[in-house]
Amino acid sequence: MAREKSWSQLTAEHFDKAGLERKAERMDDCADTLVFKSTPEGLKLYQAWFCKVRLCPMCNWRRSLKIAHHNKRIVEAINERFNVRWLFLTLTVKNTDGEGLPEALKAMFKGFNRLTKYKAFKTSVKGYFRALEVTRNRDLESESFGTYHPHFHVLLCVSPSYFTRNYIKQSEWTSLWKKAMKLDYTPIVHVEKVKPKEQLDDLKTDENEFKKAIKEQKAILEVSKYPVKDTDVIKGNKVTDENVETVLALDNALAYKRLFPRRTGCLKRKAHNGRNAVVNRKEKQSARPNPWLGWPGACILF
């Protein structure tokens, strides 16, 4: 946590130089005050103040742990109740400069929505987790130096019959994504089978223990992490013009974007145990609890 705090302060300095003083001030004060409460299980965080700035390393670290924990619980519940298989799909587009990044992201979100409405997708896929990631090319010898590479990581839930009756080859995934994005070039698409454990050990709050506990489910981490790694935003430990340029481009591109999707398809939002949840209409009729309830970034199409 100390590492995230110091990195947040460094990022705040870049925000300040970029002319984003209010966000810089909020980020610099992020997590300055933490109130813990004594419980039978030990001390637990009771109250805190976080800045919630999109590129804040402290906030993103906490959010990623929370989302990964939720996704882990969903995967375990699905594996327990249904006979399913998991696929890890990566969807990419060409690199773009900072100015064109907002439009590229907008097109990708629309393209993914089109993809999920295709018959091949709806027939084969039972549910999914989708995550956006944006990286910057910092290789000075590369032709695309300084450009940004947005892409989706998608964890797909399919039935066992997918591999015999409804199988979608990688070339077909590529064609579907190209069609959904209305591209005049062939994008790079990768898909592979994931073999998750039936039950993961209880997670601990320490990040290293967390990663160790789910080392056999790296796909869950990929779809749970925040879209931009702090090391992709800030390079080195000093304020530089290149880093400031990256901060401005990413802050503008990610502004007002719903990075974790709303539930769609045959889903319905309802109150469940005092929190917002999404429940499949058929499951509502059968009164069977839906393990995908209420978790960000999850969509089930059973």
Side-chain angles (χ1 to χ4, degrees):
M1 192 170 184
R3 182 262 181 196
E4 282 73 25
K5 177 59 181 176
S6 61
W7 207 258
S8 290
Q9 291 174 327
L10 177 60
T11 306
E13 293 180 27
H14 284 82
F15 267 75
D16 186 60
K17 186 173 182 180
L20 304 173
E21 292 86 0
R22 294 184 64 180
K23 289 184 178 180
E25 184 178 353
R26 286 163 52 196
M27 195 183 303
D28 189 55
D29 294 336
C30 185
D32 270 354
T33 303
L34 303 176
V35 179
F36 291 86
K37 187 176 182 179
S38 180
T39 68
E41 294 79 21
L43 290 177
K44 286 191 175 181
L45 183 62
Y46 175 70
Q47 193 175 39
W49 186 89
F50 296 97
C51 67
K52 299 181 181 179
V53 175
R54 276 288 171 93
L55 298 181
C56 174
M58 173 64 75
C59 293
N60 294 341
W61 170 69
R62 292 186 69 254
R63 187 179 293 111
S64 295
L65 287 178
K66 181 179 179 180
I67 297 299
H69 178 69
H70 289 169
N71 289 349
K72 161 196 170 289
R73 292 178 61 188
I74 295 173
V75 169
E76 289 181 351
I78 292 293
N79 287 341
E80 180 181 349
R81 292 184 50 202
F82 302 101
N83 182 20
V84 298
R85 302 292 184 269
W86 298 90
L87 305 175
F88 188 68
L89 176 68
T90 302
L91 305 169
T92 74
V93 294
K94 282 185 177 180
N95 284 24
T96 180
D97 57 20
E99 185 177 348
L101 185 57
E103 285 301 316
L105 296 182
K106 183 178 179 180
M108 287 182 67
F109 284 121
K110 288 185 176 180
F112 187 83
N113 286 337
R114 293 191 198 100
L115 176 66
T116 61
K117 295 176 182 177
Y118 291 154
K119 181 179 179 180
F121 188 97
K122 292 193 292 185
T123 301
S124 301
V125 179
K126 299 298 182 182
Y128 63 83
F129 300 94
R130 185 208 68 195
L132 169 72
E133 182 174 12
V134 181
T135 58
R136 180 174 184 178
N137 188 327
R138 295 181 180 272
D139 184 359
L140 293 173
E141 299 181 358
S142 173
E143 294 182 356
S144 57
F145 169 73
T147 61
Y148 298 86
H149 178 54
H151 52 283
F152 284 134
H153 292 304
V154 191
L155 186 59
L156 302 172
C157 179
V158 300
S159 63
S161 62
Y162 169 84
F163 299 97
T164 56
R165 289 186 297 178
N166 303 315
Y167 184 70
I168 302 177
K169 297 185 293 185
Q170 180 163 332
S171 59
E172 293 173 338
W173 278 114
T174 302
S175 297
L176 289 172
W177 181 235
K178 179 179 180 179
K179 177 183 176 182
M181 286 295 297
K182 302 179 180 181
L183 301 175
D184 58 1
Y185 61 89
T186 301
I188 296 176
V189 174
H190 180 70
V191 61
E192 61 180 329
K193 184 178 179 180
V194 176
K195 297 180 180 180
K197 293 170 61 177
E198 292 184 359
Q199 182 70 29
L200 297 177
D201 297 331
D202 290 338
L203 296 181
K204 298 183 179 181
T205 55
D206 180 79
E207 187 175 19
N208 292 328
E209 290 295 326
F210 176 86
K211 291 181 178 179
K212 181 179 179 181
I214 57 177
K215 61 183 179 181
E216 293 188 35
Q217 289 196 358
K218 293 181 180 179
I220 296 179
L221 280 179
E222 286 297 315
V223 298
S224 305
K225 64 187 181 182
Y226 200 70
V228 184
K229 299 177 183 176
D230 48 30
T231 52
D232 279 331
V233 180
I234 305 299
K235 181 180 180 181
N237 55 7
K238 295 182 179 180
V239 178
T240 66
D241 292 338
E242 180 183 350
N243 288 340
V244 171
E245 177 188 337
T246 304
V247 163
L248 285 171
L250 293 175
D251 183 72
N252 177 55
L254 298 178
Y256 309 109
K257 296 290 192 305
R258 176 173 283 274
L259 303 180
F260 295 101
R262 291 182 182 274
R263 282 69 174 180
T264 58
C266 59
L267 303 181
K268 187 177 182 180
R269 183 171 298 273
K270 60 175 272 185
H272 178 78
N273 292 337
R275 62 186 300 172
N276 288 334
V278 179
V279 63
N280 180 280
R281 290 193 181 96
K282 293 182 180 179
E283 293 231 326
K284 179 182 178 182
Q285 295 171 0
S286 62
R288 295 174 60 193
N290 190 329
W292 297 65
L293 289 176
W295 304 137
C299 178
I300 188 169
L301 306 175
F302 282 105

